[in-house]
Amino acid sequence: MTTAQTTSKSAAAIDKARAEGRAALIGYLPAGYPSVEETIAAGIALAENGADLIEIGIPYSDPVMDGQVIQAATTEALAKGFSVSQVFDVVQGITSRTDAAVLVMTYWNPVVRMGVDEFSRRLAEAGGAGLITPDLIPDEAAEWMEASDKYGLDRVFLVAPSSTMERMQRTVDASRGFVYAVSIMGVTGARTSVSTAAKDVVAAAHAAGAERVCVGLGVSNAGQVREIAAYAEGVIVGTALVAAIRDGGVDAVAALTKDLSTGLSRTGLTEEEA
């Protein structure tokens, strides 16, 4: 095991939650929405109200995974002049005030544009835990693998209901920190129920050797969090939090996070469920 692997901030945060008998809560916020300062304040509110890990999304003009709520937020952030380098200010603003592991979620183009090594170095210096890369597959990630090892960063790749066994294995082997399980074939957005495919994706990732699998896409309330906490190590909430900051600011983010965290406990589960 390399030094980078033993210092995974994401793994440590998830393992701490597991030791407390619960799944980890991962909250997503778009950087620069409604402003850089408010993103930082909302990130701190997440950490203070039950979130173990925080994803900070880089606004992108041509998203392939984001639904309407997140698209609208990132479009607004870009219109206000958000630049990629400001994501490091957001990360540092949160890591300097909380113990939460903070990851950046980004499409790959902004990283390449800045330079993979340069981006990785600045993320590490800001206290970031690593990157979640929705449109980067391990087969094309040699430069990122090298930089993430060099700077001790987690690399979180995505698996989906469509992932073949071979693809699942390759992705699990390449990931560090956790594996991001997409619960549906579609874009982000709050849904009334969590896809049954999520449980199968998590089981497949576990079978491929993943120790930590976190489920995202479509989770918006404590009941859904509870459902996923029964079989996954972490639960990812995005759209519902973005809607909260849009409609009620930082206070609404704090309140929703506190409510979501009530669904994390794994106590009382059967041995098979846990």
Side-chain angles (χ1 to χ4, degrees):
M1 187 177 278
T2 66
T3 306
Q5 283 175 302
T6 59
T7 56
S8 166
K9 292 179 181 179
S10 303
I14 293 168
D15 290 350
K16 181 174 180 289
R18 183 157 41 187
E20 294 170 2
R22 60 184 179 81
L25 178 62
I26 304 165
Y28 167 91
L29 296 167
Y33 178 79
S35 66
V36 168
E37 293 73 22
E38 285 167 293
T39 309
I40 294 170
I44 293 167
L46 270 169
E48 290 178 344
N49 289 278
D52 304 282
L53 298 92
I54 297 165
E55 291 180 23
I56 298 298
I58 293 182
Y60 196 68
S61 57
D62 306 293
V64 293
M65 183 178 165
D66 301 313
Q68 289 182 335
V69 172
I70 293 175
Q71 274 195 44
T74 55
T75 299
E76 186 175 320
L78 289 170
K80 288 178 178 175
F82 181 86
S83 64
V84 172
S85 61
Q86 286 178 290
V87 78
F88 306 117
D89 299 330
V90 174
V91 171
Q92 188 156 23
I94 299 170
T95 58
S96 63
R97 296 274 302 277
T98 75
D99 293 328
V102 181
L103 299 108
V104 168
M105 186 171 197
T106 180
Y107 297 106
W108 196 234
N109 190 53
V111 181
V112 173
R113 183 77 184 268
M114 180 175 287
V116 178
D117 189 86
E118 169 80 357
F119 191 104
S120 301
R121 178 183 62 78
R122 293 179 68 176
L123 179 60
E125 287 174 354
L131 286 180
I132 301 168
T133 52
D135 64 344
L136 180 70
I137 56 174
D139 320 48
E140 298 170 0
E143 202 175 350
W144 166 227
M145 305 284 265
E146 185 181 337
S148 56
D149 283 343
K150 180 178 176 182
Y151 296 105
L153 296 170
D154 293 333
R155 43 180 186 254
V156 179
F157 293 103
L158 279 66
V159 293
S162 60
S163 298
T164 62
M165 283 177 63
E166 183 185 13
R167 171 63 52 195
M168 180 70 73
Q169 188 67 59
R170 186 157 192 169
T171 307
V172 167
D173 290 346
S175 295
R176 179 163 60 227
F178 64 94
V179 174
Y180 190 125
V182 176
S183 61
I184 44 162
M185 299 304 290
V187 296
T188 59
R191 288 170 171 80
T192 53
S193 62
V194 178
S195 164
T196 52
K199 192 169 185 177
D200 296 334
V201 178
V202 173
H206 283 153
E211 291 180 36
R212 303 166 198 86
V213 186
C214 302
V215 174
L217 265 68
V219 186
S220 62
N221 60 54
Q224 293 169 344
V225 169
R226 189 171 294 108
E227 191 182 324
I228 293 169
Y231 58 81
E233 284 69 46
V235 187
I236 302 164
V237 180
T239 296
L241 287 165
V242 180
I245 196 169
R246 177 195 67 199
D247 299 337
V250 173
D251 289 347
V253 170
L256 177 58
T257 307
K258 190 170 284 187
D259 181 56
L260 291 166
S261 67
T262 64
L264 295 170
S265 177
R266 306 181 81 186
T267 54
L269 299 177
T270 65
E271 203 168 293
E272 188 179 313
E273 286 178 314

